[in-house]
Amino acid sequence: MSDRRLQLVEAMAGVAAGDRAALHTVYEMTSAKLFATIVRIVRGRERAEDLLQEVYVKAWRRAGRFDPAKGSPIAWLCTIARNTALNDLRRESRSAELAGDELPEVADETVLPADDWLCASEDSAELARCLEELQADHRRSIKLAFFDGFSHSELAHKLEVPLGTMKSWIRRGLAGLKGCLGG
């Protein structure tokens, strides 16, 4: 385990014990990456700042659930950040749909997994190389799902393919990435 990861694991244990200084350490070590993850999804700085605060409130409340044996702290926090941003988009979308006279379309609520290896590798050159090795449909689907926050059903509609095809592209693409990244 790297020194940085060990420091973050120890800080997470402190957060679980209610140590505010440990939360500050976690924030200092992770906020830039989490903010980048959120802003990519919601596409608004002010909104992303609000959601980032919500992420750290959730982390404070849930820190006792973090298990370093199951993954890295940054991947755990990145998953919370990503899900928080996606939930915010869904709330906004539903509010807009309900404001109109039409009945809202029932969306696919499938949350795409934010696997540790993908979240932790998000900005790396190795991930970029591996993405380029995927088939074009798989690569595009993964980028739109994981980095732009689209759900399976939104992607199927956007790319005009059946939902089953979209799920298959993402599953095959993730398998290819995992193999390439050694995950």
Tab-separated table of all heavy atoms in Angstrom, residues 21-69:
chain	number	residue	atom	x	y	z
A	21	ALA	N	-10.700	16.713	12.208
A	21	ALA	CA	-9.398	16.961	11.579
A	21	ALA	C	-9.116	15.894	10.521
A	21	ALA	O	-8.542	16.188	9.467
A	21	ALA	CB	-8.287	16.981	12.626
A	22	ALA	N	-9.541	14.673	10.777
A	22	ALA	CA	-9.370	13.598	9.791
A	22	ALA	C	-10.221	13.877	8.556
A	22	ALA	O	-9.785	13.633	7.422
A	22	ALA	CB	-9.739	12.255	10.405
A	23	LEU	N	-11.425	14.417	8.768
A	23	LEU	CA	-12.276	14.775	7.626
A	23	LEU	C	-11.597	15.856	6.795
A	23	LEU	O	-11.616	15.807	5.562
A	23	LEU	CB	-13.654	15.234	8.086
A	23	LEU	CG	-14.614	15.630	6.959
A	23	LEU	CD1	-14.913	14.443	6.043
A	23	LEU	CD2	-15.911	16.206	7.537
A	24	HIS	N	-10.967	16.803	7.468
A	24	HIS	CA	-10.230	17.853	6.753
A	24	HIS	C	-9.111	17.232	5.909
A	24	HIS	O	-8.899	17.615	4.760
A	24	HIS	CB	-9.669	18.881	7.733
A	24	HIS	CG	-8.897	19.967	7.074
A	24	HIS	ND1	-9.498	20.982	6.355
A	24	HIS	CD2	-7.556	20.185	6.985
A	24	HIS	CE1	-8.567	21.776	5.863
A	24	HIS	NE2	-7.380	21.313	6.228
A	25	THR	N	-8.407	16.265	6.467
A	25	THR	CA	-7.341	15.575	5.733
A	25	THR	C	-7.911	14.858	4.505
A	25	THR	O	-7.355	14.957	3.407
A	25	THR	CB	-6.617	14.566	6.646
A	25	THR	OG1	-6.039	15.277	7.743
A	25	THR	CG2	-5.546	13.795	5.899
A	26	VAL	N	-9.012	14.146	4.703
A	26	VAL	CA	-9.654	13.449	3.582
A	26	VAL	C	-10.048	14.455	2.511
A	26	VAL	O	-9.809	14.247	1.321
A	26	VAL	CB	-10.878	12.627	4.065
A	26	VAL	CG1	-11.691	12.110	2.883
A	26	VAL	CG2	-10.428	11.473	4.948
A	27	TYR	N	-10.627	15.562	2.932
A	27	TYR	CA	-11.041	16.604	1.981
A	27	TYR	C	-9.842	17.126	1.193
A	27	TYR	O	-9.897	17.225	-0.034
A	27	TYR	CB	-11.738	17.752	2.721
A	27	TYR	CG	-12.156	18.866	1.796
A	27	TYR	CD1	-13.380	18.809	1.133
A	27	TYR	CD2	-11.327	19.958	1.553
A	27	TYR	CE1	-13.760	19.802	0.260
A	27	TYR	CE2	-11.701	20.964	0.684
A	27	TYR	CZ	-12.918	20.887	0.039
A	27	TYR	OH	-13.282	21.874	-0.840
A	28	GLU	N	-8.780	17.478	1.886
A	28	GLU	CA	-7.584	18.007	1.223
A	28	GLU	C	-6.992	17.022	0.219
A	28	GLU	O	-6.505	17.418	-0.835
A	28	GLU	CB	-6.522	18.401	2.259
A	28	GLU	CG	-6.890	19.610	3.089
A	28	GLU	CD	-7.047	20.876	2.258
A	28	GLU	OE1	-6.228	21.112	1.358
A	28	GLU	OE2	-8.009	21.628	2.520
A	29	MET	N	-7.057	15.742	0.539
A	29	MET	CA	-6.451	14.724	-0.311
A	29	MET	C	-7.333	14.314	-1.490
A	29	MET	O	-6.821	13.769	-2.474
A	29	MET	CB	-6.110	13.487	0.519
A	29	MET	CG	-5.021	13.718	1.559
A	29	MET	SD	-4.653	12.224	2.504
A	29	MET	CE	-3.737	11.293	1.253
A	30	THR	N	-8.636	14.553	-1.405
A	30	THR	CA	-9.545	13.991	-2.412
A	30	THR	C	-10.448	14.990	-3.117
A	30	THR	O	-11.042	14.658	-4.138
A	30	THR	CB	-10.446	12.922	-1.770
A	30	THR	OG1	-11.263	13.531	-0.756
A	30	THR	CG2	-9.627	11.783	-1.174
A	31	SER	N	-10.586	16.192	-2.608
A	31	SER	CA	-11.602	17.108	-3.132
A	31	SER	C	-11.417	17.459	-4.609
A	31	SER	O	-12.394	17.575	-5.342
A	31	SER	CB	-11.693	18.377	-2.290
A	31	SER	OG	-10.467	19.075	-2.292
A	32	ALA	N	-10.188	17.616	-5.063
A	32	ALA	CA	-9.972	17.977	-6.469
A	32	ALA	C	-10.482	16.874	-7.401
A	32	ALA	O	-11.176	17.153	-8.389
A	32	ALA	CB	-8.496	18.251	-6.726
A	33	LYS	N	-10.173	15.625	-7.080
A	33	LYS	CA	-10.617	14.512	-7.928
A	33	LYS	C	-12.131	14.361	-7.868
A	33	LYS	O	-12.782	14.161	-8.895
A	33	LYS	CB	-9.945	13.218	-7.505
A	33	LYS	CG	-10.392	12.039	-8.356
A	33	LYS	CD	-9.423	10.910	-8.244
A	33	LYS	CE	-9.766	9.770	-9.163
A	33	LYS	NZ	-9.555	10.049	-10.565
A	34	LEU	N	-12.700	14.468	-6.670
A	34	LEU	CA	-14.150	14.312	-6.546
A	34	LEU	C	-14.877	15.456	-7.243
A	34	LEU	O	-15.899	15.236	-7.899
A	34	LEU	CB	-14.563	14.225	-5.078
A	34	LEU	CG	-13.982	13.048	-4.290
A	34	LEU	CD1	-14.529	13.047	-2.871
A	34	LEU	CD2	-14.238	11.734	-4.978
A	35	PHE	N	-14.354	16.661	-7.120
A	35	PHE	CA	-14.968	17.801	-7.799
A	35	PHE	C	-14.944	17.589	-9.312
A	35	PHE	O	-15.942	17.838	-9.994
A	35	PHE	CB	-14.255	19.102	-7.423
A	35	PHE	CG	-14.871	20.314	-8.058
A	35	PHE	CD1	-16.062	20.825	-7.581
A	35	PHE	CD2	-14.260	20.928	-9.135
A	35	PHE	CE1	-16.640	21.944	-8.168
A	35	PHE	CE2	-14.830	22.034	-9.731
A	35	PHE	CZ	-16.019	22.549	-9.251
A	36	ALA	N	-13.823	17.125	-9.833
A	36	ALA	CA	-13.718	16.870	-11.275
A	36	ALA	C	-14.728	15.811	-11.715
A	36	ALA	O	-15.351	15.933	-12.772
A	36	ALA	CB	-12.300	16.428	-11.631
A	37	THR	N	-14.904	14.780	-10.909
A	37	THR	CA	-15.879	13.734	-11.220
A	37	THR	C	-17.286	14.317	-11.275
A	37	THR	O	-18.043	14.043	-12.210
A	37	THR	CB	-15.814	12.611	-10.150
A	37	THR	OG1	-14.508	12.031	-10.182
A	37	THR	CG2	-16.853	11.538	-10.399
A	38	ILE	N	-17.633	15.130	-10.300
A	38	ILE	CA	-18.977	15.716	-10.234
A	38	ILE	C	-19.208	16.715	-11.355
A	38	ILE	O	-20.247	16.687	-12.019
A	38	ILE	CB	-19.205	16.386	-8.858
A	38	ILE	CG1	-19.193	15.341	-7.746
A	38	ILE	CG2	-20.516	17.159	-8.842
A	38	ILE	CD1	-19.109	15.918	-6.345
A	39	VAL	N	-18.254	17.598	-11.588
A	39	VAL	CA	-18.451	18.650	-12.590
A	39	VAL	C	-18.575	18.061	-13.996
A	39	VAL	O	-19.293	18.592	-14.845
A	39	VAL	CB	-17.348	19.733	-12.506
A	39	VAL	CG1	-16.098	19.361	-13.266
A	39	VAL	CG2	-17.883	21.072	-12.972
A	40	ARG	N	-17.912	16.939	-14.252
A	40	ARG	CA	-18.047	16.269	-15.552
A	40	ARG	C	-19.479	15.801	-15.765
A	40	ARG	O	-19.960	15.764	-16.885
A	40	ARG	CB	-17.110	15.057	-15.621
A	40	ARG	CG	-15.944	15.259	-16.525
A	40	ARG	CD	-15.244	13.964	-16.853
A	40	ARG	NE	-15.023	13.097	-15.725
A	40	ARG	CZ	-13.942	13.109	-14.956
A	40	ARG	NH1	-12.995	13.972	-15.178
A	40	ARG	NH2	-13.822	12.266	-13.974
A	41	ILE	N	-20.154	15.430	-14.692
A	41	ILE	CA	-21.513	14.906	-14.809
A	41	ILE	C	-22.542	16.033	-14.848
A	41	ILE	O	-23.408	16.047	-15.714
A	41	ILE	CB	-21.813	13.916	-13.653
A	41	ILE	CG1	-20.920	12.682	-13.796
A	41	ILE	CG2	-23.288	13.517	-13.645
A	41	ILE	CD1	-20.941	11.739	-12.612
A	42	VAL	N	-22.449	16.986	-13.922
A	42	VAL	CA	-23.491	18.017	-13.837
A	42	VAL	C	-23.204	19.236	-14.700
A	42	VAL	O	-24.094	20.042	-14.937
A	42	VAL	CB	-23.762	18.447	-12.369
A	42	VAL	CG1	-24.214	17.266	-11.537
A	42	VAL	CG2	-22.575	19.141	-11.743
A	43	ARG	N	-21.975	19.398	-15.125
A	43	ARG	CA	-21.567	20.449	-16.048
A	43	ARG	C	-21.848	21.879	-15.547
A	43	ARG	O	-22.161	22.762	-16.322
A	43	ARG	CB	-22.218	20.261	-17.402
A	43	ARG	CG	-21.933	18.925	-18.016
A	43	ARG	CD	-21.733	19.045	-19.502
A	43	ARG	NE	-21.590	17.773	-20.129
A	43	ARG	CZ	-20.453	17.098	-20.190
A	43	ARG	NH1	-19.371	17.572	-19.651
A	43	ARG	NH2	-20.389	15.942	-20.797
A	44	GLY	N	-21.727	22.054	-14.254
A	44	GLY	CA	-21.895	23.387	-13.692
A	44	GLY	C	-21.081	23.518	-12.424
A	44	GLY	O	-21.232	22.716	-11.505
A	45	ARG	N	-20.226	24.514	-12.371
A	45	ARG	CA	-19.293	24.666	-11.249
A	45	ARG	C	-20.024	24.885	-9.921
A	45	ARG	O	-19.727	24.231	-8.931
A	45	ARG	CB	-18.337	25.819	-11.539
A	45	ARG	CG	-17.302	26.005	-10.464
A	45	ARG	CD	-16.263	27.060	-10.860
A	45	ARG	NE	-15.242	27.114	-9.849
A	45	ARG	CZ	-14.205	26.289	-9.762
A	45	ARG	NH1	-14.061	25.338	-10.640
A	45	ARG	NH2	-13.320	26.408	-8.796
A	46	GLU	N	-20.973	25.817	-9.900
A	46	GLU	CA	-21.675	26.129	-8.656
A	46	GLU	C	-22.452	24.910	-8.145
A	46	GLU	O	-22.415	24.575	-6.958
A	46	GLU	CB	-22.614	27.311	-8.871
A	46	GLU	CG	-23.220	27.837	-7.589
A	46	GLU	CD	-23.991	29.112	-7.821
A	46	GLU	OE1	-23.437	30.050	-8.433
A	46	GLU	OE2	-25.156	29.159	-7.379
A	47	ARG	N	-23.121	24.255	-9.044
A	47	ARG	CA	-23.878	23.053	-8.689
A	47	ARG	C	-22.938	21.954	-8.186
A	47	ARG	O	-23.230	21.262	-7.208
A	47	ARG	CB	-24.646	22.582	-9.922
A	47	ARG	CG	-25.665	21.549	-9.658
A	47	ARG	CD	-26.572	21.496	-10.866
A	47	ARG	NE	-27.292	20.255	-10.918
A	47	ARG	CZ	-27.749	19.720	-12.021
A	47	ARG	NH1	-27.573	20.320	-13.166
A	47	ARG	NH2	-28.409	18.594	-11.983
A	48	ALA	N	-21.807	21.803	-8.853
A	48	ALA	CA	-20.827	20.789	-8.451
A	48	ALA	C	-20.268	21.090	-7.060
A	48	ALA	O	-20.033	20.171	-6.275
A	48	ALA	CB	-19.696	20.709	-9.476
A	49	GLU	N	-20.068	22.369	-6.750
A	49	GLU	CA	-19.573	22.734	-5.423
A	49	GLU	C	-20.577	22.331	-4.345
A	49	GLU	O	-20.197	21.818	-3.294
A	49	GLU	CB	-19.291	24.231	-5.359
A	49	GLU	CG	-18.060	24.632	-6.153
A	49	GLU	CD	-17.896	26.133	-6.315
A	49	GLU	OE1	-18.808	26.905	-5.926
A	49	GLU	OE2	-16.850	26.551	-6.853
A	50	ASP	N	-21.858	22.569	-4.596
A	50	ASP	CA	-22.900	22.166	-3.639
A	50	ASP	C	-22.926	20.651	-3.463
A	50	ASP	O	-23.045	20.143	-2.346
A	50	ASP	CB	-24.277	22.648	-4.097
A	50	ASP	CG	-24.420	24.159	-4.025
A	50	ASP	OD1	-23.627	24.808	-3.310
A	50	ASP	OD2	-25.338	24.699	-4.691
A	51	LEU	N	-22.821	19.940	-4.568
A	51	LEU	CA	-22.855	18.477	-4.507
A	51	LEU	C	-21.615	17.923	-3.815
A	51	LEU	O	-21.693	16.917	-3.108
A	51	LEU	CB	-23.016	17.884	-5.904
A	51	LEU	CG	-24.384	18.142	-6.548
A	51	LEU	CD1	-24.380	17.675	-7.996
A	51	LEU	CD2	-25.498	17.483	-5.760
A	52	LEU	N	-20.473	18.584	-4.008
A	52	LEU	CA	-19.249	18.140	-3.331
A	52	LEU	C	-19.432	18.220	-1.819
A	52	LEU	O	-19.049	17.294	-1.093
A	52	LEU	CB	-18.052	18.984	-3.774
A	52	LEU	CG	-16.701	18.568	-3.194
A	52	LEU	CD1	-16.303	17.172	-3.682
A	52	LEU	CD2	-15.636	19.588	-3.590
A	53	GLN	N	-20.046	19.294	-1.360
A	53	GLN	CA	-20.316	19.418	0.072
A	53	GLN	C	-21.218	18.278	0.538
A	53	GLN	O	-20.985	17.666	1.579
A	53	GLN	CB	-20.971	20.762	0.366
A	53	GLN	CG	-21.252	20.966	1.835
A	53	GLN	CD	-21.843	22.329	2.123
A	53	GLN	OE1	-21.957	23.183	1.261
A	53	GLN	NE2	-22.209	22.536	3.372
A	54	GLU	N	-22.228	17.953	-0.262
A	54	GLU	CA	-23.135	16.846	0.069
A	54	GLU	C	-22.365	15.519	0.143
A	54	GLU	O	-22.641	14.683	1.002
A	54	GLU	CB	-24.235	16.771	-0.984
A	54	GLU	CG	-25.345	15.811	-0.684
A	54	GLU	CD	-26.446	15.849	-1.734
A	54	GLU	OE1	-26.745	16.930	-2.278
A	54	GLU	OE2	-26.999	14.765	-2.007
A	55	VAL	N	-21.403	15.334	-0.736
A	55	VAL	CA	-20.591	14.112	-0.739
A	55	VAL	C	-19.839	13.969	0.584
A	55	VAL	O	-19.814	12.882	1.177
A	55	VAL	CB	-19.605	14.100	-1.930
A	55	VAL	CG1	-18.544	13.018	-1.772
A	55	VAL	CG2	-20.365	13.928	-3.235
A	56	TYR	N	-19.247	15.049	1.073
A	56	TYR	CA	-18.490	14.965	2.319
A	56	TYR	C	-19.401	14.792	3.534
A	56	TYR	O	-19.007	14.150	4.511
A	56	TYR	CB	-17.520	16.137	2.470
A	56	TYR	CG	-16.342	15.946	1.551
A	56	TYR	CD1	-16.233	16.655	0.367
A	56	TYR	CD2	-15.370	14.993	1.839
A	56	TYR	CE1	-15.173	16.440	-0.497
A	56	TYR	CE2	-14.306	14.774	0.986
A	56	TYR	CZ	-14.215	15.502	-0.181
A	56	TYR	OH	-13.167	15.284	-1.043
A	57	VAL	N	-20.614	15.313	3.470
A	57	VAL	CA	-21.586	15.050	4.541
A	57	VAL	C	-21.922	13.557	4.551
A	57	VAL	O	-21.946	12.912	5.611
A	57	VAL	CB	-22.858	15.909	4.377
A	57	VAL	CG1	-23.965	15.452	5.313
A	57	VAL	CG2	-22.534	17.383	4.593
A	58	LYS	N	-22.149	12.989	3.370
A	58	LYS	CA	-22.426	11.551	3.277
A	58	LYS	C	-21.224	10.743	3.763
A	58	LYS	O	-21.381	9.746	4.472
A	58	LYS	CB	-22.769	11.159	1.840
A	58	LYS	CG	-24.128	11.638	1.400
A	58	LYS	CD	-24.389	11.271	-0.049
A	58	LYS	CE	-25.748	11.771	-0.499
A	58	LYS	NZ	-26.014	11.435	-1.912
A	59	ALA	N	-20.023	11.158	3.374
A	59	ALA	CA	-18.813	10.442	3.792
A	59	ALA	C	-18.679	10.490	5.318
A	59	ALA	O	-18.307	9.490	5.943
A	59	ALA	CB	-17.584	11.039	3.122
A	60	TRP	N	-18.977	11.626	5.909
A	60	TRP	CA	-18.914	11.775	7.368
A	60	TRP	C	-19.868	10.787	8.039
A	60	TRP	O	-19.511	10.120	8.994
A	60	TRP	CB	-19.256	13.211	7.740
A	60	TRP	CG	-19.325	13.469	9.214
A	60	TRP	CD1	-20.459	13.559	9.975
A	60	TRP	CD2	-18.240	13.661	10.112
A	60	TRP	NE1	-20.134	13.800	11.278
A	60	TRP	CE2	-18.774	13.876	11.398
A	60	TRP	CE3	-16.855	13.685	9.951
A	60	TRP	CZ2	-17.984	14.100	12.517
A	60	TRP	CZ3	-16.067	13.919	11.060
A	60	TRP	CH2	-16.615	14.115	12.326
A	61	ARG	N	-21.069	10.703	7.496
A	61	ARG	CA	-22.091	9.831	8.085
A	61	ARG	C	-21.821	8.347	7.836
A	61	ARG	O	-22.191	7.509	8.642
A	61	ARG	CB	-23.469	10.181	7.519
A	61	ARG	CG	-23.973	11.517	7.977
A	61	ARG	CD	-25.339	11.803	7.404
A	61	ARG	NE	-25.802	13.115	7.838
A	61	ARG	CZ	-26.606	13.873	7.129
A	61	ARG	NH1	-27.072	13.462	5.965
A	61	ARG	NH2	-26.973	15.050	7.582
A	62	ARG	N	-21.208	8.036	6.710
A	62	ARG	CA	-21.041	6.634	6.301
A	62	ARG	C	-19.628	6.095	6.465
A	62	ARG	O	-19.357	4.955	6.075
A	62	ARG	CB	-21.427	6.481	4.828
A	62	ARG	CG	-22.842	6.857	4.517
A	62	ARG	CD	-23.083	6.765	3.035
A	62	ARG	NE	-24.405	7.246	2.678
A	62	ARG	CZ	-24.808	7.444	1.439
A	62	ARG	NH1	-23.995	7.192	0.424
A	62	ARG	NH2	-26.028	7.881	1.201
A	63	ALA	N	-18.724	6.880	6.989
A	63	ALA	CA	-17.311	6.470	7.048
A	63	ALA	C	-17.108	5.131	7.745
A	63	ALA	O	-16.192	4.390	7.400
A	63	ALA	CB	-16.476	7.556	7.721
A	64	GLY	N	-17.966	4.807	8.679
A	64	GLY	CA	-17.854	3.527	9.370
A	64	GLY	C	-18.099	2.337	8.460
A	64	GLY	O	-17.694	1.215	8.764
A	65	ARG	N	-18.736	2.567	7.326
A	65	ARG	CA	-19.006	1.496	6.355
A	65	ARG	C	-17.819	1.236	5.424
A	65	ARG	O	-17.791	0.227	4.723
A	65	ARG	CB	-20.208	1.850	5.485
A	65	ARG	CG	-21.487	2.022	6.252
A	65	ARG	CD	-22.605	2.355	5.279
A	65	ARG	NE	-23.751	2.912	5.975
A	65	ARG	CZ	-24.774	3.468	5.382
A	65	ARG	NH1	-24.809	3.561	4.068
A	65	ARG	NH2	-25.772	3.953	6.068
A	66	PHE	N	-16.880	2.167	5.383
A	66	PHE	CA	-15.733	1.988	4.487
A	66	PHE	C	-14.859	0.843	4.985
A	66	PHE	O	-14.494	0.789	6.153
A	66	PHE	CB	-14.900	3.269	4.382
A	66	PHE	CG	-13.615	3.053	3.648
A	66	PHE	CD1	-13.615	2.800	2.285
A	66	PHE	CD2	-12.406	3.043	4.320
A	66	PHE	CE1	-12.431	2.560	1.598
A	66	PHE	CE2	-11.219	2.810	3.652
A	66	PHE	CZ	-11.233	2.569	2.286
A	67	ASP	N	-14.521	-0.063	4.076
A	67	ASP	CA	-13.671	-1.203	4.407
A	67	ASP	C	-12.475	-1.199	3.455
A	67	ASP	O	-12.624	-1.476	2.267
A	67	ASP	CB	-14.469	-2.503	4.253
A	67	ASP	CG	-13.664	-3.745	4.601
A	67	ASP	OD1	-12.455	-3.636	4.902
A	67	ASP	OD2	-14.261	-4.835	4.572
A	68	PRO	N	-11.272	-0.881	3.963
A	68	PRO	CA	-10.102	-0.820	3.085
A	68	PRO	C	-9.762	-2.160	2.432
A	68	PRO	O	-9.064	-2.192	1.418
A	68	PRO	CB	-8.973	-0.341	4.005
A	68	PRO	CG	-9.458	-0.549	5.387
A	68	PRO	CD	-10.948	-0.560	5.350
A	69	ALA	N	-10.277	-3.258	2.974
A	69	ALA	CA	-10.031	-4.560	2.359
A	69	ALA	C	-10.819	-4.722	1.062
A	69	ALA	O	-10.479	-5.544	0.218
A	69	ALA	CB	-10.396	-5.680	3.331
